[in-house]
Amino acid sequence: MPIRLFDSLSRDHRELRPAHPDGVYRFYNCGPTVYAPAHIGNFRTFVVNDLLRRLLELEFGPDKIRHVRNLTDVDDKTIRRAREEARPLAEVTKQWTDKFHADCAALNCLPPHVEPTATGHIPEQVSMIETLMDKGNAYRAADGSVYFKVSSFDGYGALSRVKERELKVGSALAAKPQGQDADEKEDGSDFALWKAHKPEDGEVRWPGPRDAAPGRPGWHIECSAMSKKHLGDTIDLHTGGVDLLFPHHENEIAQSQCCNGTTFAHHWYHSEHLLVDGKKMSKSLGNLYTLDQLREMGHSPMAIRYALLMGHPRKQLNFTLDSLHAAESGLKTLRSIPVVFTQIGTLDPSETPSCDFNRFFTALKDDLNTPAALGELFQLRHDLLYRSQSSGRATLGDRREFGRALYALGFDLDIAAPTVVAPPQVITLAEQRWAAKAAKNWAEADRLRGAIAALGWSMLDRKDGYSLEPAKK
Ligand code: AMP
Ligand code: ZN
């Protein structure tokens, strides 16, 4: 079964397949703005994209996927932060880039193949802006800034349906320009490709496009330019959080398609937000948790990754500390799977898995249905435990498929670390007790608990499974 993903442009679930003859799948993911620590809402988006990257690797092969994720290292926020701290912009953005990398590594997110920066691609952005001016899609304003002329692109609004929506409710698109750019723009919907230098920008400035003033690029053009440079004019997949759909991605399409004269991205995927008490987790609302804050509270990055994957990526997910406890116990249950592998002793050399891993991968490939995939993983864990203790056997094929499943989710279970392994007869009793509980045979379950205790072990129950620990003396 191919990977199918909801496409925000066509509003349909569509198969992912490389369009280029070289078979390399080109994947661009909008990266962070590096002026403060990313919060775990941001990381929900990056973890979901990491899952996608891993799944694409498993599907097409690791050398058949090219993953680009940019760093926004110049914009209003980064400049303001540098000014407030009286530090050079590059120093501030380096600090938060390093922090972002450390957090990504802790969350077991694979580094993208290319991680371009906006400041490292000024000539590419300038060149695109000049092409857009030459083609009549952009104009220089009185102050030397350059704006994209939205009315010059018929396809504007196709992604966000903004035209239909706005025109219905009294037309922001048709409205007169407002705000600080009011005197500069020809139309309120036009957006900046190049921003002429202002005193508050301090030292931050580059020579502009032809005829324009020195200044800095707008936010949207950076992704168009970096995507073109590192992936070509047409990419297979472009992703980001749902808040980027409009205006960021709508504007990227307009710039890229007018400049390059061809389709920008075949597929658009937007993951939903992480919420706190029903509101989007965000720096501006101040309702955020950083990875460090949660680690200081004793939560492991792996549990945080797990918790971020507990909800369907295209549904909003309410974050609670309880969800981290559930994630910790889920991981603990999963960690008992390697026990099976170490206890089989004589592994069946057959490469064929004895358990059905297809259901797990089918769930993931069906629009990244992580809750369903996690459910399947627990079922597999149960099946594997059972196989190892009954006439059937876990096989090398099981071990391989289980490894692939963990790889897809990016769960590092620390399998190599020695764990306290319950002896086979204790696991057998535990499985029998679990089955007795499921059959509501409480008397039998109690008897088996006693039998387990007599062997020096205690069985800890949860909703979705159990773990075995040496009994406390
Ligand atoms: P930023 O650093 O603000 O450019 O955001 C980086 C990424 O995080 C973007 O893809 C945003 O869409 C995403 N994002 C921001 N807030 C949240 C949230 N509360 N939940 C999920 N993703 C978010
Ligand atoms: Zn972007």
Side-chain angles (χ1 to χ4, degrees):
M1 154 163 176
I3 305 173
R4 290 173 71 83
L5 209 56
F6 186 77
D7 170 23
S8 315
L9 184 59
S10 66
R11 306 272 154 116
D12 210 357
H13 291 83
R14 292 179 46 234
E15 193 177 313
L16 301 190
R17 85 175 99 80
H20 291 255
D22 62 7
V24 174
Y25 196 83
R26 289 152 168 84
F27 168 27
Y28 187 95
N29 169 207
C30 287
T33 311
V34 279
Y35 71 107
H39 54 72
I40 59 157
N42 301 129
F43 279 117
R44 179 182 196 204
T45 295
F46 295 123
V47 164
V48 166
N49 277 275
D50 183 58
L51 171 76
L52 192 48
R53 148 81 185 269
R54 288 164 176 273
L55 203 56
L56 287 164
E57 268 189 22
L58 291 177
E59 184 77 356
F60 300 131
D63 54 347
K64 290 289 181 195
I65 147 106
R66 191 162 160 87
H67 175 201
V68 177
R69 187 184 65 210
N70 69 296
L71 293 164
T72 298
D73 62 350
V74 57
D75 77 329
D76 292 347
K77 290 182 271 194
T78 46
I79 291 175
R80 197 184 316 127
R81 178 57 52 95
R83 199 178 59 232
E84 282 163 8
E85 297 180 357
R87 294 163 69 201
L89 178 67
E91 192 183 296
V92 171
T93 56
K94 162 104 176 47
Q95 175 190 347
W96 295 113
T97 298
D98 289 348
K99 180 64 186 144
F100 177 68
H101 287 161
D103 286 355
C104 281
L107 288 167
N108 206 24
C109 290
L110 298 169
H113 299 108
V114 190
E115 194 175 44
T117 60
T119 58
H121 292 72
I122 301 292
E124 288 82 355
Q125 297 175 76
V126 165
S127 152
M128 276 189 97
I129 296 170
E130 286 177 348
T131 305
L132 288 169
M133 290 168 92
D134 291 345
K135 288 188 163 187
N137 300 108
Y139 59 89
R140 179 197 192 279
D143 72 343
S145 297
V146 181
Y147 289 92
F148 184 90
K149 193 180 178 66
V150 165
S151 63
S152 74
F153 179 52
D154 275 349
Y156 197 84
L159 179 68
S160 60
R161 314 288 201 265
V162 72
K163 261 185 189 158
E164 297 161 25
R165 200 167 64 205
E166 298 293 280
L167 288 172
K168 264 189 224 138
V169 289
S171 180
L173 276 177
K176 289 222 159 38
Q178 291 174 346
Q180 68 183 109
D181 297 331
D183 298 336
E184 312 294 344
K185 294 194 214 182
E186 289 174 4
D187 186 280
S189 60
D190 294 349
F191 58 89
L193 296 168
W194 186 261
K195 297 183 168 192
H197 183 266
K198 295 201 178 90
E200 57 267 33
D201 294 342
E203 299 296 303
V204 181
R205 75 166 93 188
W206 290 268
R210 222 173 22 246
D211 302 333
R216 60 184 166 99
W219 171 35
H220 315 299
I221 193 73
E222 69 172 82
C223 286
S224 284
M226 291 188 268
S227 160
K228 179 179 168 74
K229 164 104 186 258
H230 297 286
L231 295 172
D233 288 354
T234 301
I235 64 176
D236 293 299
L237 175 66
H238 195 120
T239 67
V242 68
D243 55 317
L244 300 190
L245 199 140
F246 183 83
H248 186 52
H249 289 163
E250 194 73 65
N251 292 353
E252 280 187 44
I253 294 176
Q255 300 159 159
S256 291
Q257 299 202 168
C258 289
C259 174
N260 304 330
T262 184
T263 303
F264 177 39
H266 287 304
H267 206 124
W268 290 86
Y269 177 76
H270 295 95
S271 45
E272 263 292 349
H273 282 145
L274 190 67
L275 309 183
V276 180
D277 296 330
K279 294 200 183 72
K280 177 188 167 191
M281 183 178 285
S282 69
K283 285 168 195 134
S284 53
L285 289 175
N287 59 353
L288 57 83
Y289 286 100
T290 63
L291 193 64
D292 282 352
Q293 282 169 339
L294 294 175
R295 289 175 92 169
E296 277 158 26
M297 291 161 77
H299 299 290
S300 70
M302 212 33 63
I304 295 163
R305 179 177 179 107
Y306 187 116
L308 295 175
L309 291 174
M310 272 164 47
H312 192 293
R314 283 200 312 105
K315 293 202 176 109
Q316 295 182 334
L317 177 66
N318 203 43
F319 177 75
T320 60
L321 292 176
D322 275 351
S323 67
L324 289 180
H325 295 297
E328 294 282 5
S329 74
L331 284 174
K332 203 166 164 194
T333 305
L334 288 179
R335 278 193 193 103
S336 67
I337 294 192
V339 171
V340 176
F341 292 135
T342 52
Q343 288 188 341
I344 304 165
T346 51
L347 277 169
D348 184 333
S350 158
E351 284 294 315
T352 315
S354 68
C355 295
D356 183 9
F357 283 85
N358 281 336
R359 299 221 316 252
F360 169 84
F361 286 106
T362 301
L364 272 194
K365 288 177 178 186
D366 178 13
D367 205 25
L368 304 182
N369 191 344
T370 50
L374 283 172
E376 296 295 343
L377 196 61
F378 280 97
Q379 184 59 48
L380 283 164
R381 171 206 158 269
H382 181 269
D383 292 351
L384 284 169
L385 271 172
Y386 180 75
R387 288 267 189 300
S388 70
Q389 298 305 318
S390 64
S391 52
R393 267 174 195 257
T395 66
L396 284 177
D398 287 319
R399 182 180 278 197
R400 182 193 64 229
E401 291 304 307
F402 182 61
R404 275 163 49 88
L406 291 182
Y407 182 81
L409 293 170
F411 288 171
D412 180 353
L413 297 183
D414 215 5
I415 288 168
T419 46
V420 191
V421 175
Q425 71 265 40
V426 173
I427 297 187
T428 307
L429 291 170
E431 286 296 307
Q432 287 171 355
R433 182 169 165 274
W434 191 252
K437 265 188 64 177
K440 300 200 186 324
N441 188 348
W442 310 119
E444 177 68 355
D446 283 349
R447 185 188 72 75
L448 288 162
R449 178 187 284 287
I452 291 166
L455 292 169
W457 289 79
S458 57
M459 184 166 169
L460 312 175
D461 296 347
R462 283 178 314 278
K463 229 173 31 201
D464 54 359
Y466 63 86
S467 56
L468 287 164
E469 288 184 358
K472 292 194 183 73
K473 295 258 156 56

